[in-house]
Amino acid sequence: MARRPLVMGNWKLNGSKAFTKELIEGLKAELANVNGCDVAIAPPVMYLAEAETALAGSKIVLGAQNVDVNVKGAFTGDISTEMLKDFGAKYIIIGHSERRTYHKESDEFIAKKFAALKEAGLVPVLCIGESEAENEAGKTEEVCARQIDAVINALGVEAFNGAVIAYEPIWAIGTGKSATPAQAQAVHAFIRGHIAAKSQVVADQVIIQYGGSVNDANAAELFTQPDIDGALVGGASLKAPAFAVIVKAAAAAKN
Ligand code: 13P
């Protein structure tokens, strides 16, 4: 089954009102004639209003970097699914390694966020991936399986219908040291196979992005791999020309 690729920019803790407008104007110009690839950006939630306005009339879809499990009430500092929907955000990143590490988010807590997003009709972008030590200890598959199983155990494999997984080896994030296409493909094939063991139909349609030092120079080769359905891009998503090269590479490789 042909899967439509998805390239998403995770801006992390970067930007300003002016930067948001400027980057989106640049992306709209660069990507005006690109088809065959879904494109999303996740600015800081502070700038969703500016982003929504700037994106009007474009095919670039709005996303966010996190969400709370609660919908309303006394939860100081949190942002709900309904608030994200209010700004037209669709693709919501959860379980990013930076949140797992700095905010001590557990697999089970992240599964609750996954449930909240499904309940709200939003698309979870579930980040998974092993640390350098786990990689060297040969535990990559075990870690990825555990992180996926937390969702399957809580919600069933069908929860991955219409969802996105981003395989982001922690050792590749922000280091300039991307996984090689073959390394990434091997893990992506494992992830898809792990889901296929429960449901081939769900496995065939789930988008599995690669993330970790994806840039305009290495994206095309990564996208030649059959189980790499796009990318979750950090640093290179902050520059319109570089991000556009990555999107165009996905559109070219997958169509
Ligand atoms: P970099 O592309 O900066 O390595 O970040 C990847 C990432 O964490 C995207 O979520």
Side-chain angles (χ1 to χ4, degrees):
M1 195 192 86
R3 291 177 295 273
R4 190 174 161 82
L6 170 66
V7 173
M8 179 160 178
N10 174 8
W11 294 11
K12 306 192 180 181
L13 184 51
N14 294 292
S16 64
K17 286 197 271 190
F19 176 90
T20 299
K21 277 176 71 174
E22 201 178 313
L23 179 50
I24 290 174
E25 290 312 324
L27 290 174
K28 288 202 303 193
E30 297 264 2
L31 297 173
N33 299 316
V34 180
N35 294 303
C37 181
D38 288 330
V39 182
I41 54 167
V45 284
M46 284 297 290
Y47 304 121
L48 286 183
E50 282 79 11
E52 184 187 25
T53 303
L55 285 173
S58 122
K59 284 180 291 187
I60 301 167
V61 180
L62 198 50
Q65 303 171 20
N66 183 34
V67 69
D68 190 40
V69 296
N70 298 293
V71 174
K72 66 185 288 193
F75 302 100
T76 302
D78 282 322
I79 304 287
S80 73
T81 51
E82 295 306 311
M83 292 171 183
L84 297 178
K85 271 163 79 170
D86 211 6
F87 289 92
K90 175 178 172 191
Y91 295 99
I92 316 299
I93 298 168
I94 52 171
H96 194 284
S97 65
E98 288 149 19
R99 294 210 61 88
R100 292 179 191 262
T101 303
Y102 304 138
H103 299 270
K104 307 274 181 290
E105 294 191 7
S106 68
D107 294 336
E108 291 68 31
F109 184 55
I110 293 159
K112 285 189 180 141
K113 293 188 176 195
F114 199 113
L117 291 171
K118 295 294 283 189
E119 174 78 23
L122 295 169
V123 178
V125 178
L126 174 70
C127 297
I128 63 171
E130 82 288 0
S131 66
E132 184 153 44
E134 288 163 339
N135 182 277
E136 284 167 1
K139 292 190 169 158
T140 298
E141 294 186 354
E142 181 187 323
V143 170
C144 290
R146 190 197 74 222
Q147 292 174 336
I148 289 171
D149 286 346
V151 172
I152 294 180
N153 293 341
L155 306 172
V157 72
E158 307 292 326
F160 282 101
N161 265 325
V164 178
I165 295 169
Y167 169 58
E168 300 205 306
I170 298 169
W171 48 269
I173 295 176
T175 59
K177 192 176 111 187
S178 167
T180 66
Q183 262 177 326
Q185 167 59 26
V187 182
H188 282 228
F190 167 79
I191 293 165
R192 201 177 304 284
H194 188 74
I195 292 174
K198 294 272 190 312
S199 167
Q200 187 69 50
V201 174
V202 175
D204 282 344
Q205 58 77 54
V206 74
I207 296 292
I208 309 179
Q209 298 177 310
Y210 169 76
S213 296
V214 176
N215 58 40
D216 47 357
N218 63 19
E221 209 187 333
L222 285 160
F223 297 144
T224 61
Q225 302 299 315
D227 288 295
I228 300 182
D229 306 323
L232 186 56
V233 185
S237 75
L238 299 173
K239 294 202 169 87
F243 190 68
V245 168
I246 298 168
V247 171
K248 288 175 190 170
K254 303 294 178 184
N255 290 282

